[in-house]
Amino acid sequence: MHKINNVYNVSVVKLNLRSFASSGKKIKDFNYQYFQRSNVPTFHFQKSLPRLPIPELDKTQERYLNAVRPLLSKSQYDEAIKRTSNFVAHEGSQLQSKLVSKDKYNKHTSYISDYWFDLYLRERVALPINYNPFLVMQNDVRPEYNNQLVRATNLLVSAVRFMLSLREEILEPEVYHMQPKKSNTPLFRTVTGLLPASLSWYGAYLFKAFPLDMSQFTGLFNATRIPVVNKDKIFRDPTCNHVVVQKNGNFYTFEVLDSDGNLLSPSEIQGNLAQILSDNSKADCELGVLTTQNRDDWAKQRNHLEEIGNKEVFQKIDSAIFNLVLDDVCIDDNKHRLLAHYLHGDGSNRWFDKSFSLIVTKDGVSGINFEHSWGDGVAVLRFFQDIYTETTTKPFIGPDSKPSDKQITVKKLEFNLDDKSKSFIEKARKEYRDWCNSLSIDYILYEGLTKEACKKFKVSPDCIMQLGFQAAHHLLHGNYVGTYESCSTSAFKHGRTETMRPCTDKTKLFCDSLHSNKSTKQELRSIMQECSTYHSELVKQAAMGQGFDRHLFALMKIAEDNGLPRPELYDSFEYKFLNKSILSTSTLSAPSVLAGGFGPVAREGFGIGYSAFPDKLGAAISAYTAHNNSTQFVEALEKSFVDITKVLSE
């Protein structure tokens, strides 16, 4: 996604000056206070965003059967056709009518939004590995700026500036520019900014620019997922102005705004962080490890902890702007250590329930681990990219900056713990250690093929990477399995994600032909180009809300809502086989991203976070050692990339 330029707007600033003057508060420096001051309000396009379409039922049938066909034998596929046709002709048709009717009465949102929140919040498995993804930033090219205190201070300042711009609704709206040279301009902002909110999207469309849904951005800050038996809840309190900081299992808080709402100066923020870093004491009981557990177990334990006097302490953590984690660990350019540290760590210095935790190691390696129920990658990646760019190009402090001793408001949080509490903390610590030890994490950086080289050969870089995953799995196991690629539907109001199914008849033909050694290079190249064309079409369909996974899921939920019997389709072999995501994949490409990933979705599966970089292809692979070995998969993937490169080479 193309980065949108910052635009200064005097009228917006005057408006904010008036609002602060009327409240008796004064902003000292707008240039410092706000990350951006857009002349198009943050949520300007929200009202006119198109609604997520409900696909036609016969199209969903066709797309679903196309997706299951490469996974099934002929007899299994024939059964799937009968079962799906029967569903469409009977229960499916009735459920479609009910879904369309419900959608008409809820024009403020999308048909999938509430169901998707509910799905996440009802899930009882632990958050780390299972759900929380991670992103790691590229290091600053200036080593002296990777000092832990320097980098943490700069990131914290930029993050709060971003948050304040969002609060005042002067953060640039997220817009996808098809032709950025023509639309990413002051004229675009002037025209769309002058249009009424109800028409603004249409104005952007005339520029071939597509505003994206911004509703998830409010979930970034002052938010926590609270464990509750059966279904969690999301807590938000945007009135609070403190951050929570973790170090050595301890929790600290301090205010980042003064009494007039001014962001503390960089040296004052540095002073607060310096005080925390100077405390080398370790927590007697590392409470954060409790957030690594089954949600019902953790809900009961949190209730007990609140009953014995910890309610106010939890309130401080829950309402904090975000969680800043200062780890006493050096990565030392060890990629395996880096991946394990940001995916799960040992749990002692984490609070996985926070909307996101910004983690900075002792050698300044920085990244984010984020809770997934409140939102998807669009909001997180925008925030991540923006604060990375500012801190590496226009940092507020340097290696010679001196911390200030003014405005020091650091408070160390103290917990009341009884023997029962200590016993379940110890139990959680041991279980989490065993769980993490059961995980295998590896990575590949393949320099034989690049993003631009793929485009030169007229094949999609994303398709090439997905072809590599299919070929690697086929090489290891000789079969084809349910494969999940996440695709954002943020072009629509309250869009979340859609599943794109990369395992197709065409990828199956390519892998079979490649591994049989019976096809010529020209034949393989022709099949590969067909794969790429079809892959790009599937991605386009998913992004435009024309996949089938979310639609079928919503129809199942409509049946539940109306107390109707569960259709046979959802308990069929083919539906379950397709939805057992043995290969769960997501692309994490952005200039700021060094690495990213997540855990396997299925015990027998792989979690694959991947990027097509300008100079290489990269992927982080996770798997459970009882079923798979990530290193073996990486070796098979490298062979597959080499084979694909040979096919593409002249």
Side-chain angles (χ1 to χ4, degrees):
M1 215 154 287
H2 299 283
K3 181 75 170 66
I4 302 172
N5 296 327
N6 297 353
V7 180
Y8 186 89
N9 182 15
V10 174
S11 63
V12 171
V13 173
K14 285 181 178 178
L15 178 65
N16 281 288
L17 278 169
R18 285 197 298 271
S19 67
F20 273 95
S22 64
S23 66
K25 297 180 178 180
K26 295 181 180 179
I27 293 298
K28 296 175 183 175
D29 184 355
F30 274 87
N31 286 319
Y32 174 60
Q33 184 88 352
Y34 298 115
F35 188 89
Q36 291 171 335
R37 291 155 299 171
S38 171
N39 65 339
V40 182
T42 303
F43 301 103
H44 184 60
F45 297 107
Q46 202 67 23
K47 189 173 182 179
S48 58
L49 279 176
R51 301 192 63 228
L52 184 67
I54 297 175
E56 296 174 12
L57 193 55
D58 60 341
K59 290 290 187 184
T60 286
Q61 177 184 12
E62 177 187 343
R63 291 160 183 158
Y64 169 67
L65 289 172
N66 285 342
V68 298
R69 188 167 53 233
L71 310 181
L72 305 176
S73 67
K74 186 181 184 307
S75 61
Q76 288 172 332
Y77 183 63
D78 289 343
E79 281 294 315
I81 291 175
K82 291 177 186 176
R83 204 173 348 254
T84 310
S85 298
N86 183 62
F87 169 77
V88 169
H90 298 96
E91 313 105 299
S93 180
Q94 298 168 20
L95 296 173
Q96 176 81 344
S97 296
K98 291 182 182 297
L99 180 62
V100 170
S101 177
K102 180 182 178 182
D103 189 54
K104 284 180 179 177
Y105 283 100
N106 291 278
K107 293 184 177 180
H108 63 287
T109 187
S110 69
Y111 76 89
I112 198 64
S113 183
D114 285 348
Y115 287 146
W116 212 240
F117 275 115
D118 186 70
L119 173 73
Y120 270 108
L121 295 174
R122 285 191 186 280
E123 184 55 71
R124 299 293 83 196
V125 299
L127 300 184
I129 303 175
N130 291 316
Y131 280 103
N132 284 27
F134 73 92
L135 294 168
V136 181
M137 292 180 180
Q138 298 279 356
N139 282 335
D140 197 309
V141 295
R142 303 158 297 179
E144 64 273 20
Y145 280 83
N146 293 320
N147 168 278
Q148 187 177 31
L149 178 58
V150 172
R151 197 159 202 202
T153 301
N154 282 320
L155 286 168
L156 180 51
V157 171
S158 291
V160 177
R161 280 161 41 81
F162 185 100
M163 181 271 292
L164 290 169
S165 294
L166 180 63
R167 279 188 183 178
E168 292 299 312
E169 300 185 14
I170 53 175
L171 187 75
E172 281 272 5
E174 188 75 353
V175 177
Y176 179 71
H177 294 274
M178 294 288 288
Q179 298 176 357
K181 289 183 179 178
K182 294 182 179 180
S183 62
N184 195 5
T185 62
L187 177 63
F188 168 79
R189 292 171 178 78
T190 299
V191 171
T192 56
L194 288 172
L195 288 171
S198 58
L199 299 174
S200 56
W201 182 90
Y202 301 96
Y205 179 77
L206 294 175
F207 283 86
K208 294 191 182 303
F210 295 88
L212 303 182
D213 180 71
M214 296 287 289
S215 62
Q216 293 180 19
F217 279 66
T218 55
L220 272 168
F221 303 106
N222 299 103
T224 299
R225 175 171 170 170
I226 308 259
V228 181
V229 172
N230 296 326
K231 182 183 176 181
D232 293 355
K233 63 182 180 181
I234 295 176
F235 170 87
R236 290 174 183 159
D237 185 355
T239 65
C240 292
N241 297 322
H242 65 279
V243 293
V244 62
V245 182
Q246 285 185 270
K247 181 176 180 288
N248 289 330
N250 293 306
F251 294 79
Y252 309 81
T253 65
F254 69 90
E255 300 289 320
V256 291
L257 305 186
D258 67 17
S259 58
D260 283 329
N262 291 292
L263 175 59
L264 300 188
S265 71
S267 63
E268 289 168 346
I269 287 177
Q270 185 184 17
N272 281 278
L273 291 178
Q275 181 167 315
I276 293 169
L277 282 170
S278 68
D279 181 2
N280 293 316
S281 64
K282 293 186 181 296
D284 294 331
C285 284
E286 294 150 339
L287 212 73
V289 77
L290 296 177
T291 63
T292 69
Q293 298 180 100
N294 171 283
R295 301 305 290 174
D296 282 346
D297 291 345
W298 169 214
K300 294 169 187 174
Q301 293 166 1
R302 176 165 166 147
N303 284 340
H304 173 74
L305 286 163
E306 289 185 357
E307 287 170 0
I308 62 172
N310 296 291
K311 192 169 185 177
E312 289 185 8
V313 184
F314 283 134
Q315 180 76 13
K316 272 289 184 183
I317 297 171
D318 296 338
S319 61
I321 295 171
F322 65 87
N323 184 28
L324 174 62
V325 175
L326 302 175
D327 277 333
D328 196 23
V329 171
C330 289
I331 301 300
D332 293 328
D333 202 31
N334 183 319
K335 298 291 193 302
H336 294 93
R337 184 184 301 159
L338 178 144
L339 296 173
H341 191 75
Y342 281 88
L343 176 60
H344 54 73
D346 66 6
S348 64
N349 206 41
R350 297 287 184 274
W351 198 259
F352 289 109
D353 292 359
K354 278 303 278 183
S355 55
F356 73 89
S357 293
L358 182 57
I359 303 167
V360 184
T361 64
K362 197 167 186 177
D363 53 350
V365 177
S366 305
I368 282 176
N369 183 292
F370 67 96
E371 198 279 310
H372 214 333
S373 67
W374 63 269
D376 308 303
V378 174
V380 172
L381 198 58
R382 162 74 183 277
F383 168 70
F384 186 91
Q385 178 76 6
D386 279 2
I387 65 170
Y388 168 80
T389 300
E390 180 168 82
T391 56
T392 54
T393 58
K394 298 177 182 178
F396 287 91
I397 70 161
D400 298 325
S401 300
K402 302 299 180 187
S404 169
D405 58 2
K406 297 178 180 177
Q407 295 285 348
I408 302 294
T409 59
V410 173
K411 294 179 181 177
K412 190 173 184 177
L413 301 184
E414 301 291 344
F415 294 89
N416 295 317
L417 300 177
D418 58 9
D419 288 342
K420 182 179 179 180
S421 307
K422 292 174 184 177
S423 68
F424 55 59
I425 291 171
E426 179 57 28
K427 180 173 179 286
R429 187 187 64 78
K430 181 181 182 303
E431 289 178 350
Y432 190 59
R433 182 189 62 212
D434 293 343
W435 180 18
C436 293
N437 287 341
S438 74
L439 200 66
S440 164
I441 308 175
D442 211 333
Y443 70 96
I444 182 172
L445 294 173
Y446 178 70
E447 297 180 350
L449 202 55
T450 67
K451 191 173 185 177
E452 292 308 312
C454 291
K455 291 179 180 178
K456 175 187 170 186
F457 293 120
K458 297 182 179 178
V459 289
S460 154
D462 190 68
C463 174
I464 292 303
M465 297 210 70
Q466 289 288 347
L467 260 184
F469 305 147
Q470 293 298 322
H473 189 274
H474 186 255
L475 201 59
L476 288 175
H477 300 285
N479 64 349
Y480 299 96
V481 293
T483 307
Y484 182 108
E485 179 179 354
S486 180
C487 185
S488 173
T489 52
S490 60
F492 301 96
K493 184 180 292 184
H494 293 187
R496 293 290 306 243
T497 60
E498 180 57 89
T499 307
M500 183 273 181
R501 296 291 179 177
C503 182
T504 67
D505 288 331
K506 298 180 190 301
T507 62
K508 182 178 182 179
L509 176 61
F510 177 82
C511 295
D512 286 344
S513 302
L514 178 68
H515 295 150
S516 69
N517 296 314
K518 293 179 181 178
S519 300
T520 65
K521 183 189 287 188
Q522 188 56 46
E523 288 170 336
L524 287 168
R525 189 181 298 169
S526 177
I527 299 170
M528 187 185 294
Q529 287 173 335
E530 288 181 15
C531 288
S532 179
T533 300
Y534 188 47
H535 182 95
S536 297
E537 176 59 28
L538 290 178
V539 169
K540 181 180 177 182
Q541 286 177 7
M544 296 308 294
Q546 293 298 327
F548 65 86
D549 280 85
R550 300 298 178 267
H551 185 205
L552 286 178
F553 175 73
L555 294 175
M556 181 183 71
K557 297 301 291 183
I558 280 285
E560 291 177 11
D561 288 350
N562 288 272
L564 298 172
R566 181 181 173 90
E568 180 191 1
L569 174 78
Y570 297 103
D571 294 316
S572 67
F573 169 81
E574 62 271 14
Y575 186 83
K576 288 183 176 180
F577 191 70
L578 176 68
N579 284 284
K580 189 170 189 176
S581 299
I582 299 300
L583 296 177
S584 181
T585 74
S586 184
T587 182
L588 304 162
S589 298
S592 56
V593 176
L594 173 66
F598 43 88
V601 173
R603 298 295 295 185
E604 307 93 324
F606 297 90
I608 307 174
Y610 66 96
S611 300
F613 295 105
D615 59 342
K616 58 183 170 284
L617 305 181
I621 319 289
S622 63
Y624 288 107
T625 54
H627 301 278
N628 289 297
N629 185 301
S630 60
T631 301
Q632 287 180 355
F633 189 89
V634 163
E635 290 167 355
L637 183 56
E638 182 161 24
K639 184 183 185 311
S640 300
F641 282 154
V642 169
D643 289 342
I644 289 169
T645 306
K646 288 177 182 176
V647 172
L648 287 173
S649 62
E650 300 297 340

